[in-house]
Amino acid sequence: MAAAARLFLRGANSKLSIAPGSLGTTHAAHFTFQPDPVPSQYGPTQKMNLFQSITSALDNTLASDPTAVIFGEDVAFGGVFRCTVGLRDKYGKDRVFNTPLCEQGIVGFGIGVAVAGATAIAEIQFADYIFPAFDQIVNEAAKYRYRSGNMFDCGNLTIRAPWGCVGHGSLYHSQSPEAFFAHCPGLKVVIPRSPIQAKGLLLSCIADKNPCIFFEPKILYRAAVEQVPEDPYTIPLSQAEVLQEGSDVTLVAWGTQIHVLKEVASMAQEKLGVSCEVIDLQTILPWDIETVCKSVVKTGRLLISHEAPVTGGFASEISSTVQEECFLNLEAPISRVCGYDTPFPHIFEPFYIPDKWKCFEAIKKMINY
Amino acid sequence: QLSTALSNCFKCDLHRLEEGPPVKAELTREQGLQYYRTMQTVRRMELKADQLYKQKIIRGFCHLYDGQEACAAGIEAAINPSDHLITAYRAHGYTYTRGVSVKEILAELTGRRGGVAKGKGGSMHMYAPHFYGGNGIVGAQVPLGAGIALACQYQGNNQVCVTLYGDGAANQGQLFESYNMAALWKLPCIFICENNKYGMGTSVERAAASTDYYKRGDFIPGLRVDGMDVLCVREAAQFAADHCRAGKGPIIMELQTYRYHGHSMSDPGVSYRTREEIQEVRSKSDPISMLKERMLSHNMASVEEFKEIDIEIRKQVEDATQFATSDPEPPLEELCNHIFSNNP
């Protein structure tokens, strides 16, 4: 059990004890969604949750781009998460259509559509199912421009997939596979934290002239509600956003985990008098090295947190780059609070995920280093 | 005891086969009661799972098998315990027929340490000797099944591998890779498509260019039978197993069946099919009722005997539920156990 013991020591600083029988009962979510202020620069807004903001982005796209098509499993009736509700009725069955159950085929087909000049928006029903398509994404989509000397490209391709833990998803409905794709030059990987972000980032992905993978935190589909602009707008890719400024510790995350870190930042301020700078990375690949490094130069401490397993997770890339660029500014080793190196568990989810207590403990360690 | 040769005029469509299973099947009283018991146990177990899910004692994903019992029961009746079987996520029925107790199945659903996978797998990941699960990713189990068949061939043990998948999975590319390898190397693999007419909410006509799933193996012979009739299933599976054991290579079986529940517990199952359709199948083709009526009309058993069996099963399921709701959860060390082999 030596390996397991190391696992517990590494990043598992939680003193949380699990009461018997508590794991199987319904439990409160590990985060509280914190809406952003209403944006004023994009025109009239409407109350939307995450899946509705996605629908809005897709609606805008189908309206303005006559070549745009949406396809995937069950998208025609509206999708299993209701992201495509109403679009088939509005734009026609030749523009919003179902595919059979064949992920490799869906993405391969999408690449073909994109290469031929149409805007292809492919949906993979759960990020956990994306692996049959991994070859198509990595070997075909990502390398098309490079291998053809820029004669061809599939920049018109955007792949959307629900992502991340959901409370009861277990091994195959909870995965966060961004790290697999971060290892592939030629792709862009984007993960929004909220409805306003999602619509703007998705529209950027669709407009972007490179194949993009857009992961949507499924636990936020209904839970996250904001006032979202009705008209199209874009939020730039590869620009991390500093959500709150601070002077003592830099906290970096993406997607659902941002809301956990925001709470951790409050806890740190309240209980430790520690001022945290919270950064939403948003684009995993290519990531905004400058913003993160600038912050670490200021604070001297960095904590990165994600649900995906710690070994080889994207935090390792950030950590490595930051220590290269900011070595002399660091006051403490860079901390990664991530999922354990196990498959996403069936029964142990509340213990597995990098919750606020684990992050808080990590901050304490860094401050006292 | 009483044994009856039942001529059923099995409707059996054949593909690249000169002849199919016999049109007459023999059913002894023991067999009949056993198949009844098996199917009724699976039925009651699934309905109990439904209840526990609605009480939030079972959480996560849960895909129920009620309506399809004749498939699991019929196949098991035709093969040996030493044969192998692998299926997808609608697996509780097969877990039972392959030898796991109702107690261990329900405890796995509730995520307790007494569950067949120690509470770590849940609904879609239950296993037993010669039963390889329980697989969540659609179609991924089919190449595995072909591989198991290769192992049987290699070891020369005269065993076969039954590889099950659904009508939705029938459109996955990896199935065709498996068909090719199995045929090329004449693997003793029985590919079985449980066609319950809907891949989640998509009807077969909307998903498949050809819904003749028994023909989709092209160069692999195939047969299509009524999956609601446990005797049809048994005879067809027996025929298929003989085919494989004779070294003739793989064979595809399509079982036309039906599920009463939606795709999973999150699916009410009535937005893509009518309640009338479900009701019609329940009243005219229910596998358990059909077997019972057949045995009663041939005087092979009495109404009281069936009632007694029902009462026994009810008690068995209640006891199992009691266990499944009181057994403790797996200890926290289990989180990190079994990632790698524990041998240093």
Side-chain angles (χ1 to χ4, degrees), chain B residues 34-35 71-86 94 97-99 129-132 158-164 188-190 192 230 233-245 251 253:
Chain B
Q34 197 213 313
Y35 303 159
C71 298
I75 290 169
E76 193 61 34
I79 61 176
N80 305 319
S82 55
D83 288 319
H84 308 264
L85 191 142
I86 188 170
Y94 290 101
T97 54
R98 287 262 93 192
H130 295 233
F131 172 57
Y132 305 84
N158 203 35
Q159 291 160 7
V160 299
C161 182
V162 178
T163 302
L164 291 133
C189 188
I190 306 174
I192 300 187
V230 65
V233 177
R234 184 190 76 185
E235 293 305 304
Q238 182 71 59
F239 175 84
D242 292 342
H243 174 102
C244 288
R245 286 191 232 276
I251 189 166
M253 236 166 79

Side-chain angles (χ1 to χ4, degrees), chain B residues 147-158:
Chain B
I148 295 166
L150 175 70
C152 295
Q153 185 188 65
Y154 186 77
Q155 291 167 345
N157 53 27
N158 203 35

Side-chain angles (χ1 to χ4, degrees), chain B residues 113-219:
Chain B
R113 63 180 75 186
V116 65
K118 304 184 174 60
K120 294 171 74 164
S123 169
M124 295 191 271
H125 309 109
M126 301 194 195
Y127 304 84
H130 295 233
F131 172 57
Y132 305 84
N135 290 278
I137 301 297
V138 173
Q141 75 278 11
V142 178
L144 261 74
I148 295 166
L150 175 70
C152 295
Q153 185 188 65
Y154 186 77
Q155 291 167 345
N157 53 27
N158 203 35
Q159 291 160 7
V160 299
C161 182
V162 178
T163 302
L164 291 133
Y165 55 94
D167 45 276
N171 302 315
Q172 274 275 319
Q174 46 195 323
L175 262 72
F176 297 90
E177 295 181 17
S178 308
Y179 294 158
N180 185 49
M181 288 189 281
L184 198 57
W185 301 324
K186 286 192 155 32
L187 303 181
C189 188
I190 306 174
F191 294 105
I192 300 187
C193 177
E194 284 181 289
N195 177 3
N196 60 18
K197 299 171 64 165
Y198 300 95
M200 216 158 77
T202 303
S203 63
V204 293
E205 310 79 54
R206 294 196 297 121
S210 162
T211 56
D212 291 330
Y213 296 102
Y214 70 112
K215 291 186 186 170
R216 295 280 289 274
D218 186 13
F219 36 79

Side-chain angles (χ1 to χ4, degrees), chain A residues 41-365:
Chain A
Q41 70 269 48
Y42 300 125
T45 64
Q46 204 191 325
K47 189 164 106 166
M48 295 187 211
N49 61 26
L50 182 66
F51 73 73
Q52 288 165 334
S53 72
I54 303 288
T55 316
S56 177
L58 296 174
D59 194 342
N60 293 154
T61 302
L62 290 169
S64 62
D65 179 350
T67 73
V69 286
I70 299 173
F71 51 91
E73 293 158 19
D74 299 306
V75 298
F77 88 96
V80 290
F81 290 108
R82 307 183 64 68
C83 294
T84 50
V85 168
L87 297 178
R88 185 181 169 91
D89 287 340
K90 197 166 168 188
Y91 295 102
K93 60 182 171 49
D94 57 333
R95 298 187 70 191
V96 181
F97 54 91
N98 286 338
T99 59
L101 218 171
C102 46
E103 287 72 18
Q104 182 174 27
I106 291 169
V107 173
F109 174 84
I111 293 170
V113 168
V115 168
T119 299
I121 303 166
E123 178 178 303
I124 298 291
Q125 199 159 85
F126 281 85
D128 313 56
Y129 306 162
I130 204 166
F131 300 107
F134 196 69
D135 173 70
Q136 284 287 345
I137 294 169
V138 167
N139 278 333
E140 306 299 322
K143 299 173 169 55
Y144 224 119
R145 189 190 295 276
Y146 190 91
R147 73 188 186 203
S148 68
N150 208 27
M151 189 187 301
F152 288 105
D153 69 84
C154 52
N156 292 330
L157 175 66
T158 303
I159 300 169
R160 298 176 35 245
W163 166 103
C165 79
V166 69
H168 55 270
S170 186
L171 286 78
Y172 300 110
H173 295 79
S174 315
Q175 292 177 46
S176 307
E178 67 273 12
F180 291 107
F181 298 98
H183 195 51
C184 181
L187 294 178
K188 294 200 175 182
V189 180
V190 179
I191 305 176
R193 68 172 184 274
S194 71
I196 296 173
Q197 290 293 308
K199 177 168 167 170
L201 289 170
L202 179 56
L203 286 172
S204 289
C205 285
I206 294 170
D208 194 283
K209 301 218 183 313
N210 298 289
C212 296
I213 303 180
F214 188 75
F215 287 124
E216 302 164 358
K218 64 177 87 70
I219 202 172
L220 297 181
Y221 275 138
R222 286 182 194 269
V225 182
E226 281 176 328
Q227 289 290 128
V228 181
E230 294 166 357
D231 292 333
Y233 61 97
T234 55
I235 292 176
L237 300 184
S238 297
Q239 276 187 32
E241 191 181 338
V242 179
L243 299 182
Q244 73 181 60
E245 291 189 7
S247 52
D248 301 325
V249 185
T250 301
L251 307 178
V252 175
W254 46 91
T256 316
Q257 199 64 9
I258 283 290
H259 304 288
V260 176
L261 286 189
K262 276 174 147 185
E263 198 172 339
V264 173
S266 305
M267 282 162 71
Q269 182 66 66
E270 204 181 294
K271 299 184 201 230
L272 306 169
V274 165
S275 152
C276 296
E277 182 148 297
V278 180
I279 299 181
D280 180 2
L281 198 64
Q282 293 178 350
T283 301
I284 307 302
L285 184 76
W287 65 285
D288 186 354
I289 301 176
E290 201 181 310
T291 300
V292 176
C293 287
K294 194 161 139 212
S295 175
V296 178
V297 163
K298 181 170 72 167
T299 64
R301 295 176 191 83
L302 175 62
L303 183 153
I304 313 152
S305 187
H306 57 64
E307 288 166 25
V310 62
T311 297
F314 198 64
S316 47
E317 167 61 31
I318 298 173
S319 179
S320 185
T321 302
V322 168
Q323 65 86 30
E324 276 171 31
E325 302 291 324
C326 313
F327 185 73
L328 293 175
N329 301 96
L330 289 171
E331 298 288 333
I334 298 172
S335 182
R336 294 183 289 161
V337 183
C338 305
Y340 299 123
D341 287 333
T342 76
F344 199 100
H346 167 55
I347 188 81
F348 295 116
E349 180 167 333
F351 184 70
Y352 172 90
I353 52 177
D355 61 22
K356 59 192 177 194
W357 304 111
K358 293 180 189 171
C359 295
F360 184 68
E361 282 297 309
I363 290 181
K364 273 186 10 193
K365 270 184 85 175

